[in-house]
Amino acid sequence: MYHAVAHDPAPATLGLSVTPDAFAAQMAEVARRGFTPVTTAALAAAWRTGAGLPPRPVLVTFDDGYEGVHRYALPVLARHSFTSTVFVTSGWLPGRHATGGALDTMLSWGQVRELAVAGTEIGGHSHSHPQLDQLDARRLRFEALRCRELVGEELGTAPDSFAYPYGYSSRRVRAAVREAGFGQALAVGNALARRRQGPYALERVTVRRSTTVEQFGRLLEGTSLARDFAVDRALTKGYALARRARGAVRGHWI
């Protein structure tokens, strides 16, 4: 799971960004170790139908829709003939649909279309990037549907995959995403995606500014995840308990 790819990102995106050089080195590591990137939709379809996957399949995903994905990541991916999935927050992209709130320079819709033409899967990441599990039913439905409608309007094809903002979801959120028409969705979890997680709770691992090539290799191989993400997992459990308590106070069922 990537976010911004930039030399000098905004402070709000710095920790979850990577430099263009780091991204190039990481994709070279993907190639060196014999992994084959697939899209989120392709992985879900293979698991649903029992179809085969290429050797050592891996998802390369980008959340939010930062401009550097087009400027820096796309040429690297093209050089290796790699595919990826970009999950866009529709209201953060500039233009007539913009709601404001973007943390850094975002993709234009024209760039999103160019990514799609290049073979990138474009997925949804909500309309305004809220914590979905804290929304009432009406707003939750709007966030999922509005995003899917706008991406479909701009690209001519509605997105099939979704990623939860902040990785937060619940049974209620997953049901809303499914009802909006998405076929699968990604969380975070900092664990490997497994078929048993189900199509609406597939997990990913986080790549950060501080991730070295050696650490990245361990992420690819799925080794030392418990150690490398021990703090993240502890915080995630604490946040989950706090969000459930807030949701209960607001009358949201989990």
Side-chain angles (χ1 to χ4, degrees):
M1 179 184 67
Y2 290 96
H3 288 78
V5 182
H7 290 290
D8 187 24
T13 62
L14 178 62
L16 288 176
S17 70
V18 297
T19 67
D21 288 345
F23 181 76
Q26 289 160 3
M27 291 303 101
E29 192 71 5
V30 171
R32 187 183 73 80
R33 292 174 182 259
F35 284 86
T36 305
V38 296
T39 65
T40 304
L43 175 65
W47 278 350
R48 281 191 175 101
T49 64
L53 286 164
R56 310 202 82 189
V58 63
L59 300 186
V60 178
T61 69
F62 303 88
D63 283 7
D64 300 341
Y66 297 106
E67 191 270 344
V69 174
H70 183 279
R71 181 188 298 268
Y72 299 115
L74 180 59
V76 173
L77 293 166
R79 188 158 62 244
H80 291 286
S81 298
F82 286 170
T83 191
S84 65
T85 304
V86 177
F87 295 100
V88 298
T89 303
S90 54
W92 280 10
L93 274 55
R96 59 195 177 96
H97 312 305
T99 60
L103 302 179
D104 208 335
T105 304
M106 308 305 293
L107 293 164
S108 68
W109 284 107
Q111 289 172 321
V112 174
R113 285 189 285 273
E114 289 175 7
L115 284 163
V117 168
T120 304
E121 179 189 8
I122 306 300
H125 196 47
S126 80
H127 185 56
S128 65
H129 207 279
Q131 296 182 25
L132 295 176
D133 60 348
Q134 298 301 301
L135 304 182
D136 61 32
R138 182 192 62 80
R139 179 77 188 285
L140 174 57
R141 183 174 183 273
F142 169 82
E143 285 288 336
L145 275 175
R146 184 62 171 156
C147 177
R148 192 164 192 268
E149 289 169 353
L150 290 179
V151 175
E153 178 182 320
E154 292 287 347
L155 272 61
T157 303
D160 197 37
S161 302
F162 189 86
Y164 305 110
Y166 310 103
Y168 299 161
S169 73
S170 65
R171 286 178 295 174
R172 187 173 66 97
V173 171
R174 293 189 286 274
V177 167
R178 182 175 63 250
E179 289 165 6
F182 291 98
Q184 52 277 330
L186 300 182
V188 183
N190 288 309
L192 300 183
R194 299 296 190 193
R195 191 171 185 171
R196 64 177 178 270
Q197 293 160 3
Y200 292 94
L202 295 173
E203 298 191 346
R204 296 178 289 172
V205 294
T206 307
V207 184
R208 296 187 168 94
R209 196 85 169 179
S210 59
T211 303
T212 66
V213 172
E214 292 74 21
Q215 289 171 328
F216 183 79
R218 293 200 299 270
L219 300 187
L220 281 174
E221 300 292 349
T223 59
S224 301
L225 292 181
R227 182 190 69 189
D228 291 347
F229 292 104
V231 173
D232 298 77
R233 291 181 177 182
L235 290 172
T236 296
K237 289 180 180 178
Y239 292 151
L241 290 172
R243 292 196 314 277
R244 284 174 184 154
R246 288 198 300 267
V249 169
R250 295 171 182 172
H252 303 159
W253 59 275
I254 300 301

